[in-house]
Amino acid sequence: MASPVAAPAPSPAVTEVIGAGEFREALNARGIVVVGFSTSWARPCRAALPPFAALAEKYARSAAPVSFLRVDVDELDDVAGAAGVVDTPTFVVYRGGAPVATVVGAFVGRVEEEVAKWLL
């Protein structure tokens, strides 16, 4: 039996959330906060990670106030539940600490559209 393949390495532009307190604090950051709720084992989540990291790196190089977080729903199921996440991957765009857009599925292009819309 083949051993499981390791998840892709996270990008330095994406902050891995390790607790509920850190999550609440991060949502109050200035500007837009994009949270990717995912698992390390599901194929759609694994497929979405590289484009999500690339999007985060794109905004890290810009002057736009956008932060990117990743929440592992297996590790922080309370955070995911409080955010209303029922499927993965789910991406939620927050502004002023409140959710303004949700994209369910590995549709990172739609996430980028939502970020651009809320930066206006």
Side-chain angles (χ1 to χ4, degrees):
M1 180 157 132
S3 62
V5 177
S11 163
V14 178
T15 301
E16 295 282 329
V17 177
I18 58 171
E22 178 187 24
F23 180 73
R24 285 189 300 273
E25 185 177 316
L27 290 186
N28 292 318
R30 182 178 74 82
I32 304 292
V33 179
V34 183
V35 183
F37 293 91
S38 63
T39 65
S40 60
W41 52 267
R43 285 183 189 221
C45 296
R46 294 167 53 83
L49 187 58
F52 184 65
L55 181 61
E57 289 165 9
K58 172 184 170 181
Y59 278 99
R61 291 187 304 269
S62 76
V66 183
S67 303
F68 289 80
L69 309 175
R70 180 183 174 273
V71 173
D72 185 320
V73 300
D74 290 330
E75 299 292 325
L76 297 173
D77 59 341
D78 56 332
V79 171
V85 174
V86 295
D87 200 5
T88 58
T90 293
F91 300 94
V92 182
V93 179
Y94 293 85
R95 185 174 181 189
V100 294
T102 301
V103 176
V104 178
F107 305 110
V108 178
R110 286 184 40 209
V111 174
E112 184 169 16
E113 291 169 7
E114 291 294 338
V115 170
K117 178 171 76 174
W118 287 99
L119 277 173
L120 297 176

